[in-house]
Amino acid sequence: AGPVESRTEAAMSELVPEPRQKPVVPMKPMGINASLLGYIGIDTIIEQMRKKTMKTGFDFNIMVVGQSGLGKSTLVNTLFKSQVSRKSSGWNREEKIPKTVEIKAIGHVIEEGGVKMKLTVIDTPGFGDQINNENCWEPIEKYINEQYEKFLKEEVNIARKKRIPDTRVHCCLYFISPTGHSLRPLDLEFMKHLSKVVNIIPVIAKADTMTLEEKTEFKQRVRKELEVNGIEFYPQKEFDEDLEDKTENDKIRQESMPFAVVGSDKEYQVNGKRVLGRKTPWGIIEVENLTHCEFALLRDFVIRTHLQDLKEVTHNIHYETYRAKRLNDNGGLPPMAVETEENHESNL
Amino acid sequence: CSIVFQGEGYRTVPLSGHVGFDSLPDQLVNKSVNHGFCFNILCVGETGLGKSTLMDTLFNTKFEGDPASHSQPGVQLKSSTYDLQESNVNLKLTIVSTVGFGDQINKEDSYKPIVEFIDAQFEAYLQEELKIKRVLHNYHDTRIHACLYFIAPTGHSLKSLDLVTMKKLDSKVNIIPIIAKSDAISKSELTKFKIKITSELVSNGVQIYQFPTDDESVAEINGTMNAHLPFAVIGSTEELKIGNKMMKARQYPWGTVQVENEAHCDFVKLREMLIRVNMEDLREQTHTRHYELYRRCKLEEMGFKDTDPDSKPFSLQETYEAKRNEFLGELQKKEEAMRQMFVQRVKEKEAELKEAEKELHEKFDRLKKLHQDEKKKLEDKKKSLDDEVNAFKQRKTAAELLQSQAQQAGGSQTLKRDKERKK
């Protein structure tokens, strides 16, 4: 019976007097379906938990990586319907492309429906823009690891903060140039290195330069190449929690991703409605129209359905991997430390 | 690379449309629901105060178990875990009860098993947290979230055992004091009793759990309920027909006490506070306050310090490893010492045995020599005796020969004389 039915059942059984049997003696550890025995109220924990989380608020840190000119900042602004990225926050629009990769993080607080979110957008200007781009992912990897390190340092304090500030990168949008051919060596190198430390979501930028057929073919080729190179982008197969997750994520992994997107912060009037779009001589590209581009899919995926999961995978998997490696390597702990630690009887 | 962060504080920016992150609380809650929840209650109270019955009444079910006897030699804790399901919520409920609390003649150490149990759960969690390869998000949390302290309905004041025990527990667990079997007290006595208890708790500095009043939606009800502590409860799983409804009640010749009637007892208040309003806060306080305190004390006890900011991740793990190596080193030393002692003993014993062996050999040699000497002496004697015998025989033979010779010679001598005469 679904939640609604058993709730009604429980409510009804309280109002309607009927000779009740003696409560069933359950055999431990079998589960007890409390709804049959009168309402206790343990399902109120959902509401209690929701209230508490709304009070504390949420953190979200999103990084954008890609060559300059691919529309990264515009896309992030479109995603969050707000001027949250570097380009809009008083930075010099005419600034030069930096000679090395820079990491620029900007934080804002946005609120919706009583939910407060501290959003940090991390931009990586200079990536892929040099003549020699060897190892240009290194500063990015370093930054990501530095955030894990910061969190670890707080975590091992004796006197810890109630809520450790979370600056770890939860999601990294990697912008693929819409060449229509295949992934470039830089794309592969970056994603190979970074997919092991952070959740990477590849997106095809400026997708309005491809026709539907070109788009489908390009996506297929990209997926194939990523697979051949052993690159696991988010949502990673190995972290699917149950069958439901797997089915849902399989569809996204094998059909929708990488999302081919178009970004815009300008509104136009189309069919009597105001829509976000890009105006061209041959028509207006509606950003949120699924027949035009997959922006809405990306937005729903990242924000409306998988945001919490992005954070949890970062915390439970990427961070734990970093921590284990760190504690293992440090202090000259022998490689056996991992096993002995697991078998370690309480000696403290 | 350069990391630039704009400004110290975060600016709030407006949204130009619906983004959709207002679904975040739902996303989070859904994940928790899929995971399931844990809730652990500890019931502390003397035997016979109705701990099991109250649990049965709270959760509308009969948990298994037989009533305890009064002849327990010491205080023990009995723990059982149940899987409860209501709507789409799966709750792993663990109920821990004291057995034999207050039954002993000497109750000085009665609180100890309880404190040890609570600490053991914190310790288990800390162990998991300190592991290198850990699975915290799948860890079955056994830490006690709420401690219901059952006060006997004497109507006078708290027993010294109660004060001592609660004082030992108040920094380790959320204590909710309740007056058990409160149908034994009249209403007027109850008010006086509650006031006495509250003042005794305050004057003894016992920190009981306060229902939180910082969230506007529950501040009022929690505030009111805080004033009703300790809750006077009655437990019953028996249902009686009252009016046209079946209700949980206890029947006396002079009337029927209804468990869920707020005019009769505070059971409904307890259920409301414990389960329907503050279950999540109880869990949070346990984790952020009591566990953190335990952790801090434990680590400081082990000699860890928050020294300079640069060495932190190392200091904890390193010192921990160093201590462990130290301990192992000591163990090794002890082992070595024992081995040495053993070798020593063996050597000594061996020397002893060798000595004994040597002595035996010497003895043997001596005896052998003695024996040989004796033998020689005897042989000598025998020889001299033989010689004597031979000598005697010779003399005898010689004498006999002489005699016979003499006889012959006498004859022949005569003959010879005769011959000479004839001439």
Side-chain angles (χ1 to χ4, degrees), chain B residues 227-277:
Chain B
H228 281 274
L229 284 169
F231 292 133
V233 293
I234 298 164
S236 174
T237 46
E238 284 207 27
E239 296 207 336
L240 305 166
K241 191 159 186 159
I242 298 166
N244 59 349
K245 287 216 302 183
M246 292 298 283
M247 290 193 197
K248 293 195 265 264
R250 285 174 63 78
Q251 187 150 60
Y252 291 103
W254 48 86
T256 312
V257 181
Q258 296 155 31
V259 171
E260 282 169 296
N261 184 334
E262 289 202 59
H264 289 195
C265 76
D266 297 330
F267 173 81
V268 171
K269 293 192 178 72
L270 175 67
R271 183 179 59 196
E272 198 68 20
M273 289 292 99
L274 183 67
I275 301 175
R276 297 185 192 178
V277 177

Side-chain angles (χ1 to χ4, degrees), chain A residues 6-7 17-18 20 24-26 28-35 37-46 48-55 58 79-82 84 89 91 101-112 115 117-118 120 139 143 146 149 153 155-160 162 241 299 303-309 312 316 319-320 323-324 326-328 330-331 333 338 340-342 344 346-348, chain B residues 1-6 10-29 31-33 37 58-64 80-89 91 123 127 129-134 137 214-215 217-218 239 244 246 271 275-281 283-284 288 291-292 295-296 298-300 302 304-306 309-310 312-314 316-318 320-321 324 327:
Chain A
S6 38
R7 250 250 168 73
E18 51 181 287
R20 269 201 265 209
V24 183
V25 180
K28 151 175 96 139
M30 224 154 68
I32 304 168
N33 193 339
S35 324
L37 304 167
Y39 184 60
I40 303 169
I42 51 184
D43 58 355
T44 55
I45 194 170
I46 294 182
Q48 296 176 34
M49 191 178 261
R50 181 176 298 152
K51 271 204 216 120
K52 274 202 184 278
T53 57
M54 299 231 348
K55 197 149 166 277
F58 300 86
L79 266 176
F80 291 98
K81 297 243 164 79
S82 179
V84 284
S89 307
W91 294 87
V101 179
E102 289 177 350
I103 315 276
K104 297 210 163 118
I106 296 184
H108 292 95
V109 172
I110 48 179
E111 193 179 327
E112 190 175 64
V115 178
M117 177 146 89
K118 204 159 83 170
T120 307
Y143 175 82
E146 276 169 3
E149 183 68 25
K153 277 213 167 107
E155 207 197 348
V156 295
N157 265 344
I158 308 278
R160 301 197 283 205
K162 192 163 180 185
E241 287 185 344
R299 180 203 52 212
I303 301 178
R304 295 182 188 178
T305 57
H306 284 71
L307 206 150
Q308 183 61 26
D309 188 59
E312 289 196 5
N316 294 331
Y319 170 68
E320 288 295 318
R323 176 183 175 274
R326 189 85 169 85
L327 295 179
N328 234 346
N330 172 62
L333 292 176
V338 176
T340 48
E341 208 65 28
E342 281 170 318
H344 184 54
S346 168
N347 255 328
L348 290 182
Chain B
C1 71
S2 63
I3 302 168
V4 179
F5 219 107
Q6 183 183 24
Y10 284 73
R11 258 174 37 232
T12 311
V13 283
L15 303 175
S16 62
H18 183 234
V19 177
F21 61 88
D22 54 350
S23 66
L24 255 180
D26 283 325
Q27 290 184 37
L28 197 145
V29 159
K31 274 201 179 282
S32 299
V33 164
F37 302 88
L58 264 176
F59 294 100
N60 282 344
T61 183
K62 181 129 183 40
F63 297 115
E64 65 174 68
S80 324
T81 308
Y82 308 93
D83 280 314
L84 299 182
Q85 201 191 336
E86 192 168 72
S87 306
N88 55 345
V89 171
L91 181 76
E123 186 62 34
Q127 287 284 320
E129 203 188 18
L130 285 177
K131 279 196 192 152
I132 292 184
K133 247 182 163 188
R134 58 187 190 180
H137 64 285
D214 46 355
D215 183 342
S217 56
V218 290
E239 296 207 336
N244 59 349
M246 292 298 283
R271 183 179 59 196
I275 301 175
R276 297 185 192 178
V277 177
N278 299 304
M279 188 156 60
E280 183 57 25
D281 186 68
R283 284 160 25 115
E284 194 183 280
T288 58
Y291 169 69
E292 283 299 311
R295 176 180 175 274
R296 192 162 62 232
K298 196 57 195 267
L299 293 177
E300 279 174 359
M302 281 172 55
F304 294 113
K305 275 189 298 277
D306 276 342
D310 294 316
K312 261 174 233 153
F314 307 129
L316 190 72
Q317 204 66 18
E318 219 175 45
Y320 174 66
E321 270 304 312
R324 199 156 77 95
F327 176 72

Side-chain angles (χ1 to χ4, degrees), chain B residues 178-240:
Chain B
I178 60 179
I179 301 170
K181 297 195 164 175
S182 64
D183 48 351
I185 317 179
S186 76
K187 202 135 188 163
S188 52
E189 285 173 347
L190 193 59
T191 328
K192 276 196 227 137
F193 192 29
K194 280 194 185 184
I195 294 173
K196 190 82 186 357
I197 294 175
T198 318
S199 71
E200 279 190 327
L201 289 174
V202 166
S203 58
N204 280 280
V206 175
Q207 303 259 18
I208 58 173
Y209 176 73
Q210 293 296 309
F211 305 120
T213 48
D214 46 355
D215 183 342
E216 325 79 48
S217 56
V218 290
E220 202 187 316
I221 187 172
N222 275 346
T224 324
M225 293 296 184
N226 275 327
H228 281 274
L229 284 169
F231 292 133
V233 293
I234 298 164
S236 174
T237 46
E238 284 207 27
E239 296 207 336
L240 305 166

